[in-house]
Amino acid sequence: MIVVRPATADDIDELLRLTEELDRFYGGTDLDPVEFRRQQVHEALFGDMPAAQVLLALEGETVVAFASYSYLWPAVGLTRSLYLKELYVSQAMSRRGACWCSAWRSSSTASSTKCGLASLCAPINHRTAAVMVDGCSR
């Protein structure tokens, strides 16, 4: 069963593992040293002024997906908007529900925080990414 929960500072190593897989998925080969990346993640998500929030999808104890989002203001009128920047599912978990669960939880977060709309940034022109997005819509 897949469980979705907010990321904590204790999850940084799992986030580093998934973001490295994400970077390689998009063709990245030159990654910064792990300690530098660890510091970047900590500052961006758990520092004094977090830039985003992250939801993790877990199967058992294993983190298999993450969704990163932030809020935009103003959106429609003076409402807020939830902006879903990244929704990545480990290739090993593709088409097993982790994406749908993460997207649903992001949508629930938008509703519970009274956001007027939710936006998704998805590179659907990339063939493999399109397959992943298509898999989420079923």
Side-chain angles (χ1 to χ4, degrees):
M1 180 165 114
I2 295 171
V3 175
V4 178
R5 66 165 175 78
T8 68
D10 291 337
D11 298 312
I12 289 177
D13 285 339
E14 288 298 311
L15 280 166
L16 288 174
R17 178 181 59 79
L18 281 180
T19 55
E20 180 177 338
E21 185 177 313
L22 172 69
D23 288 342
R24 294 192 190 289
F25 174 80
Y26 285 116
T29 55
D30 244 357
L31 301 177
D32 289 323
V34 70
E35 283 306 317
F36 179 72
R37 292 180 21 244
R38 183 177 284 118
Q39 180 182 359
Q40 285 182 307
V41 170
H42 188 273
E43 288 175 9
L45 301 179
F46 308 108
D48 291 337
M49 190 180 293
Q53 296 183 46
V54 172
L55 295 173
L56 301 176
L58 293 89
E59 183 176 60
E61 298 294 315
T62 305
V63 177
V64 296
F66 75 93
S68 65
Y69 65 94
S70 57
Y71 295 100
L72 304 174
W73 182 89
V76 176
L78 296 177
T79 65
R80 289 182 288 174
S81 173
L82 184 139
Y83 179 69
L84 181 60
K85 168 56 177 98
E86 193 68 59
L87 179 54
Y88 183 75
V89 178
S90 167
Q91 291 181 7
M93 286 298 292
S94 182
R95 298 192 180 271
R96 294 188 52 199
C99 184
W100 184 88
C101 289
S102 299
W104 178 85
R105 179 68 186 269
S106 297
S107 170
S108 296
T109 300
S111 294
S112 69
T113 56
K114 297 181 174 60
C115 288
L117 61 113
S119 302
L120 169 65
C121 174
I124 58 174
N125 59 336
H126 187 284
R127 183 181 55 81
T128 310
V131 170
M132 291 176 68
V133 170
D134 181 52
C136 294
S137 63
R138 291 188 179 149

